Amino acid sequence: LKSYILLDVSGSMGFQGSGAMTKLRYGSVLAAALAFLMIKQRDSVGLVTFSDKMKSYVPPRSVQSQLKEILKVLSSAEPSGVTITGDILHTLAERIPVRGLVVLISDLIVEPCELIHCLKHFRHNGHEVLVFHVLDPKELNLDYSAETRFTDMETGRQLTTQPWHIRETYLSMMKERLSSLVHQMHDISVDYAKFTTDVPFDRALSEYLAKRKKLY
């Protein structure tokens, strides 16, 4: 099996609202664990990190030294730039010539229709796709008890508000967004799994192993 791990390293992945690790740190450790498993199973694995542009590209290989190369890239990854998933993923879909498994690790802060269009591109080219949606717990529950100034980590735009006044609307919108993503990905046969940064990694690895089993 030839696999490609696509890791979002945009500015928003640096968020650490709950006191757990940042989304990027969580995603990087997850990517490292996946790469280790893939190589252990003698699969070829490559790595791409991206935000508004491709930051790094490690072509897929199945040798033991590949893990060292991937860990080197992951250890130096820093959150920066805005998420322009569309341009990057379409480019990658054309660049990856051999059918395989594409694993996208991202907080998916992008227009849903743009994301789905990109994933369709991978599916059209014959790739199996697995999406790991990484969020901080506070992005799901908006659990803030005092007036808070929120800063967009990609644009710098700020908003000061009392979270308890907007929590109900926020939670409703978040629920609707996640539900829509799940249904749209299901419709194009893309496997989707949501994780918060306080969830043990074994659940994510189980999702990958289940997906790999389907391919054989």
Side-chain angles (χ1 to χ4, degrees):
L1 182 66
K2 185 164 287 189
S3 302
Y4 302 82
I5 300 173
L6 315 182
L7 177 64
D8 179 359
V9 296
S10 60
S12 62
M13 290 290 284
F15 183 61
Q16 186 178 0
S18 64
M21 62 179 69
T22 66
K23 292 182 287 184
L24 179 55
R25 177 65 176 168
Y26 187 93
S28 295
V29 176
L30 176 55
L34 288 170
F36 174 81
L37 273 181
M38 291 169 179
I39 293 173
K40 197 79 171 175
Q41 294 168 322
R42 299 182 181 178
D43 294 337
S44 295
V45 56
L47 173 71
V48 175
T49 62
F50 69 93
S51 57
D52 53 341
K53 62 183 178 180
M54 192 183 305
K55 297 295 184 70
S56 63
Y57 176 70
V58 181
R61 299 172 67 206
S62 58
V63 296
Q64 287 293 326
S65 59
Q66 179 75 342
L67 183 60
K68 184 177 180 180
E69 290 299 313
I70 289 175
L71 293 177
K72 182 180 178 181
V73 172
L74 292 174
S75 64
S76 63
E78 294 289 341
S80 65
V82 298
T83 310
I84 307 182
T85 307
D87 294 344
I88 299 298
L89 294 187
H90 281 305
T91 299
L92 287 172
E94 290 302 317
R95 184 170 180 174
I96 299 175
V98 181
R99 293 181 181 181
L101 174 62
V102 173
V103 181
L104 173 63
I105 303 173
S106 172
D107 57 9
L108 302 183
I109 299 181
V110 64
E111 286 297 326
C113 59
E114 178 184 334
L115 173 65
I116 297 301
H117 187 53
C118 294
L119 298 180
K120 282 182 179 179
H121 195 164
F122 283 110
R123 293 292 293 132
H124 177 75
N125 288 0
H127 298 290
E128 295 294 327
V129 182
L130 175 57
V131 174
F132 286 142
H133 190 182
V134 179
L135 295 167
D136 186 278
K138 285 206 171 184
E139 290 179 302
L140 288 178
N141 56 38
L142 201 69
D143 185 20
Y144 294 87
S145 57
E147 183 172 277
T148 305
R149 176 179 294 175
F150 295 96
T151 302
D152 187 317
M153 301 181 74
E154 298 187 1
T155 67
R157 183 181 178 186
Q158 294 185 332
L159 173 68
T160 301
T161 186
Q162 297 172 328
W164 55 92
H165 287 313
I166 64 172
R167 182 175 292 120
E168 184 176 346
T169 301
Y170 176 89
L171 294 180
S172 176
M173 293 176 67
M174 177 63 79
K175 182 179 179 180
E176 182 179 347
R177 176 185 173 85
L178 294 177
S179 177
S180 176
L181 281 174
V182 170
H183 284 97
Q184 290 184 75
M185 289 190 194
H186 179 267
D187 288 343
I188 59 173
S189 299
V190 167
D191 289 308
Y192 168 90
K194 173 174 61 67
F195 301 95
T196 51
T197 53
D198 57 348
V199 171
F201 293 100
D202 56 351
R203 184 185 152 209
L205 299 179
S206 295
E207 293 280 353
Y208 157 70
L209 290 171
K211 178 65 172 178
R212 184 182 186 277
K213 187 175 180 180
K214 291 179 186 178
L215 302 180
Y216 281 89

